[in-house]
């Protein structure tokens, strides 16, 4: 008898593929939320493996804030082509133009929170009954409360105190009309697991995950990139530094870290030594102690 040995990455992969297949089996019209960030990249890659040689049965849904890093948008289109997937784009700018969302004002203005309106409208428009997300329990305390199958009511709201038990990996996807689920196949991955899986599978990544020269300025202890959407104020000065990004989101609230990690090996070594979580570079999480949970209760990712 052969002696098969499975690594922890094999176990995490098998668990995620099981959740992806359960989603396809229990729901009629599921979608995969795709930001162009490393977690949604891994989730889409796993979805392709889960249903190979058939095409994965989920469209990729990107909520476009209009304030994205150019590298992310270029990567998104290349990745969609590589995967042979169908791309659905929800536009925050269209939500603002139609009066469904109101642009924030001031130095700390961001469109990150406005994504909730666009996401819920997109779910309603296409009648998705489940949306796969790349959230992981190690990211943030509100993320840690999520089930694999996370129920949302008919307003798209999440009640962390009213979730269904998941004993022995039995998932209850029953829903009433108008309700939907968020499903998190990567729940038990850590940031390190994601990087190691990306390395093992040789998955292409956006260039901004690796060290590069970029004009940045410091605000609230974070290095924010100078873009057409975000400029330093009169008391702030910019400089060019060697940086990379640990997360990818709206350019107005996603901070960079100083780094010379230009390869996956170097990124993994850097993450292993880091004492700040990846969400520590996101200014949207610093607005209050419960910022993430408050957004999630309203229908955020």
């Amino acid at each position: 008898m052969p002696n098969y040995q499975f690594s922890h990455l094999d176990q995490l992969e098998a668990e995620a593929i099981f959740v992806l297949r359960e989603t396809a089996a229990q729901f009629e019209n599921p979608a995969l939320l795709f930001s162009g960030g490393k977690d949604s990249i891994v989730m889409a890659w796993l979805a392709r493996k889960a249903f190979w040689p058939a095409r994965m049965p989920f469209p990729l849904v990107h909520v476009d804030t209009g304030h994205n890093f150019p590298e992310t948008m270029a990567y998104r289109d290349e990745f969609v082509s590589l995967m042979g997937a169908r791309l659905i784009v929800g536009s925050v700018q269209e939500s603002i133009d139609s009066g469904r969302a109101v642009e924030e004002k001031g130095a700390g203005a961001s469109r990150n929170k406005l994504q909730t309106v666009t996401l819920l409208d997109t779910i309603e428009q296409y009648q998705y009954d489940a949306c796969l997300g790349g959230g992981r329990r190690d990211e943030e305390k509100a993320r840690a409360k999520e089930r694999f199958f996370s129920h949302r009511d008919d307003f798209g709201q999440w009640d962390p105190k009213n979730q269904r038990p998941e004993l022995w990996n039995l998932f209850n996807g029953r829903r009433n009309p108008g309700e939907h689920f968020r499903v998190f196949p990567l729940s038990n991955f850590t940031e390190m697991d994601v990087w190691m899986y990306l390395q093992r599978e040789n998955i292409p990544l956006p260039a901004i995950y690796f060290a590069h020269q970029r004009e940045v300025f410091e605000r609230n202890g974070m290095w924010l990139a100078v873009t057409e959407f975000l400029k330093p104020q009169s008391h702030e000065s910019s400089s060019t530094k060697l940086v990379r990004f640990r997360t990818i989101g709206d350019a107005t609230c996603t901070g960079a870290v100083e780094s010379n990690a230009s390869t996956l090996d170097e990124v993994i070594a850097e993450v292993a030594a880091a004492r700040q979580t990846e969400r520590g570079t996101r200014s949207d999480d610093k607005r209050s102690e419960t910022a993430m949970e408050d957004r999630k209760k309203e229908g955020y990712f």
Side-chain angles (χ1 to χ4, degrees), residues 154-193:
D154 53 355
F155 292 102
Q157 297 173 327
W158 174 62
D159 181 358
K161 296 181 180 180
N162 188 27
Q163 294 294 313
R164 300 166 181 180
E166 292 181 343
L167 306 176
W168 305 290
N169 281 344
L170 296 176
F171 304 131
N172 183 354
R174 293 182 181 178
R175 65 185 186 88
N176 295 317
E179 299 175 346
H180 72 278
F181 278 77
R182 306 289 171 83
V183 181
F184 301 100
L186 306 187
S187 289
N188 289 331
F189 278 70
T190 65
E191 181 188 9
M192 179 64 79
D193 293 331

Side-chain angles (χ1 to χ4, degrees), residues 11-267:
Q11 294 170 353
L12 290 169
E13 179 187 70
E15 179 180 65
I17 286 176
F18 174 72
V19 174
L20 287 159
R21 289 174 176 167
E22 278 291 299
T23 303
Q26 292 199 36
F27 298 99
E28 295 181 3
N29 189 27
L32 190 152
L33 302 178
F34 186 77
S35 66
K38 64 184 185 304
D39 301 312
S40 60
I41 292 168
V42 166
M43 185 170 57
W45 192 269
L46 285 163
R48 186 170 75 161
K49 294 185 75 169
F51 301 99
W52 184 265
R55 295 178 64 179
M56 65 177 172
F58 317 118
L60 302 186
V61 175
H62 178 222
V63 177
D64 179 7
T65 67
H67 290 173
N68 299 289
F69 293 105
E71 298 95 328
T72 305
M73 299 302 286
Y75 176 88
R76 181 199 72 180
D77 295 338
E78 292 171 2
F79 188 79
V80 169
S81 177
L82 172 68
M83 301 294 285
R86 182 164 62 100
L87 178 66
I88 302 295
V89 178
S91 170
V92 172
Q93 185 62 56
E94 289 182 8
S95 297
I96 294 170
D97 294 342
S98 66
R100 293 280 296 151
V102 179
E103 186 92 75
E104 291 184 356
K105 306 295 183 184
S110 171
R111 289 185 173 183
N112 194 58
K113 188 176 181 179
L114 305 188
Q115 294 179 84
T116 299
V117 173
T118 307
L119 173 61
L120 294 177
D121 285 350
T122 303
I123 292 171
E124 177 68 23
Q125 178 183 352
Y126 291 94
Q127 294 294 293
Y128 296 130
D129 52 3
C131 290
L132 292 150
R136 310 186 323 268
R137 288 174 178 146
D138 76 314
E139 284 184 88
E140 202 269 347
K141 54 185 179 292
R143 299 279 201 206
K145 297 179 182 179
E146 290 280 19
R147 302 287 200 268
F148 280 104
F149 276 30
S150 181
H151 174 264
R152 298 299 198 269
D153 66 17
D154 53 355
F155 292 102
Q157 297 173 327
W158 174 62
D159 181 358
K161 296 181 180 180
N162 188 27
Q163 294 294 313
R164 300 166 181 180
E166 292 181 343
L167 306 176
W168 305 290
N169 281 344
L170 296 176
F171 304 131
N172 183 354
R174 293 182 181 178
R175 65 185 186 88
N176 295 317
E179 299 175 346
H180 72 278
F181 278 77
R182 306 289 171 83
V183 181
F184 301 100
L186 306 187
S187 289
N188 289 331
F189 278 70
T190 65
E191 181 188 9
M192 179 64 79
D193 293 331
V194 169
W195 284 114
M196 292 174 66
Y197 189 79
L198 288 162
Q199 182 185 53
R200 189 184 83 170
E201 298 289 306
N202 195 28
I203 303 173
L205 285 166
I208 63 174
Y209 273 128
F210 302 100
H212 58 284
Q213 296 285 341
R214 188 177 290 265
E215 186 181 5
V216 295
F217 65 96
E218 187 175 7
R219 178 179 292 172
N220 298 327
M222 292 183 298
W223 292 111
L224 295 174
V226 176
T227 65
E228 59 180 301
F229 324 113
L230 185 64
K231 308 287 186 185
Q233 294 182 283
S234 57
H235 65 280
E236 298 169 327
S237 59
S238 65
S239 59
T240 300
K241 292 186 175 293
L242 188 64
V243 299
R244 73 175 191 88
F245 292 85
R246 290 179 70 182
T247 67
I248 292 179
D250 189 293
T252 60
C253 65
T254 304
V257 294
E258 292 188 74
S259 171
N260 58 6
S262 58
T263 67
L264 273 174
D265 283 337
E266 291 171 345
V267 168

